[in-house]
Amino acid sequence: MESQAPPRAVQGHSISDGMRAAWPLAVAVGVFGISWGVLAQDAGMSLLAATLMSATTFAGSAQFAAVSIIGEGGSLGAAIVAAILLNARYGPIGLSVAPALGGSTARRFITSQLVIDESWAIANQGGGRFNSRLLIGAGLLIYFAWVAGTVAGIIGGDVLGDPERLGFDAAFPALFLSLLAPQVRERRALVVAIAGAAIALALVPFTQAGVPIIAAALACFLGLRRR
Amino acid sequence: MNETWTMILVIGAVTMGIKAAGPVALGGRELPGRLVGVVAMLAPALLAALVATQTFAGDQRLTIDERALGLAVAAVAVALRAPVLVVIVLAAAVTALARAV
């Protein structure tokens, strides 16, 4: 053999495949970006401040939570804690994609910033494997949609109205459901999924947002048990 | 205004650090053997938790609203092996329609 074939997981997917898979989500993310921009402006944030937050934090739920708390007169500490709790899930999520993200430290740092729920879910190949090109393609497109939406929301205001009126908030769980389905054909994965959902729902009334998701992640330790 | 900038910088820096920790520390190496089985189960656990909370959670309480209808239709579409795009559009359309009536 003259050259080694690339690993199987890398073959067959390109960055544009990731973008193609993510575009319907990118539309929804863009509209939520607009509504976040409007909220940020109402809370007194400048174009620069809001855009910088979208470009660095790049996590919708945390940004909505933090700015709502500040906008309603809550404390800075409460806003920071709420956002960090909501983003804590990116610790285990980052660990799960780490083997797929190669290259220099700088490259790994940059690609890791494209990890959000949607790009992570799209890049998931099952069995703990992730495709870096799908992740980068989906992440880039959604990143662009989120930042551009923020700018549009600050400059243009509430042009499209409430994204929830359009049902866009249901688009995200629908994506996660369709990506979950092929993975739970195996019995253990199904048990873990049910446990994860049950833990999350049980904690919703008693904890701050974000905590139910982190706690649900602990259900993956059922994977330690023998088959 | 200083408070806003503190918020932006702290949340931005911490979030970037959380996201980068695994990939930077691990450096593209494989996870240790025992951890592979755990991480393989992370996707079903987290995806199911995201579906559940984004459908039934609102402001620290459980609720059944129009999203549940949208997700029920999405579940039927998934069972019929509809493409992801169709599933997403159906969920949004049904939820929007239910809110309109």
Side-chain angles (χ1 to χ4, degrees):
Chain A
M1 252 197 278
E2 290 157 22
S3 65
Q4 201 81 45
R8 190 82 202 128
V10 184
Q11 279 178 347
H13 290 296
S14 64
I15 287 179
S16 56
D17 287 335
M19 292 188 174
R20 248 193 301 281
W23 79 259
L25 271 304
V27 172
V29 166
V31 178
F32 273 101
I34 293 174
S35 71
W36 187 76
V38 171
L39 179 73
Q41 196 173 40
D42 288 347
M45 286 172 83
S46 65
L47 174 63
L48 177 66
T51 310
L52 187 74
M53 189 171 197
S54 285
T56 54
T57 300
F58 183 38
S61 54
Q63 289 177 236
F64 270 107
V67 171
S68 301
I69 289 170
I70 291 284
E72 288 161 11
S75 76
L76 175 65
I80 291 173
V81 167
I84 290 173
L85 282 177
L86 278 162
N87 286 341
R89 68 182 182 283
Y90 288 120
I93 283 177
L95 195 63
S96 72
V97 295
L101 301 183
S104 66
T105 304
R107 190 187 154 83
R108 296 198 305 273
F109 182 86
I110 292 167
T111 47
S112 72
Q113 298 308 309
L114 296 175
V115 176
I116 33 143
D117 298 328
E118 293 80 15
S119 62
W120 172 75
I122 285 169
N124 183 18
Q125 306 283 289
R129 298 260 144 211
F130 291 84
N131 183 287
S132 63
R133 291 179 200 172
L134 288 177
L135 180 91
I136 291 168
L140 275 177
L141 188 68
I142 293 173
Y143 186 88
F144 175 78
W146 180 243
V147 175
T150 301
V151 173
I154 296 268
I155 293 174
D158 216 348
V159 278
L160 290 180
D162 183 4
E164 297 193 359
R165 195 176 49 86
L166 303 168
F168 281 6
D169 52 333
F172 302 99
L175 169 80
F176 299 136
L177 183 67
S178 57
L179 296 171
L180 172 66
Q183 296 189 38
V184 292
R185 299 213 179 95
E186 185 208 342
R187 201 183 131 75
R188 184 164 52 159
L190 181 64
V191 171
V192 168
I194 292 170
I199 292 169
L201 288 181
L203 288 179
V204 163
F206 308 108
T207 63
Q208 257 194 292
V211 175
I213 302 287
I214 311 165
L218 296 176
C220 74
F221 282 98
L222 292 172
L224 274 178
R225 289 175 42 205
R226 260 184 292 159
R227 277 162 209 275
Chain B
M1 265 303 85
N2 267 337
E3 202 173 60
T4 305
W5 280 104
T6 310
M7 174 190 82
I8 292 168
L9 295 177
V10 172
I11 293 175
V14 173
T15 302
M16 290 173 83
I18 292 171
K19 285 186 179 179
V24 166
L26 212 65
R29 288 191 300 268
E30 291 294 323
L31 292 165
R34 263 174 96 73
L35 213 54
V36 173
V38 175
V39 166
M41 290 298 119
L42 184 66
L46 271 187
L47 287 174
L50 287 170
V51 172
T53 55
Q54 293 187 4
T55 306
F56 298 111
D59 254 352
Q60 284 208 17
R61 62 194 176 84
L62 296 177
T63 165
I64 293 180
D65 58 24
E66 295 87 351
R67 293 172 296 175
L69 199 60
L71 260 289
V73 173
V76 172
V78 167
L80 296 173
R81 296 177 186 252
V84 178
L85 175 61
V86 174
V87 175
I88 293 171
V89 171
L90 269 177
V94 169
T95 304
L97 208 66
R99 282 183 181 141
V101 294

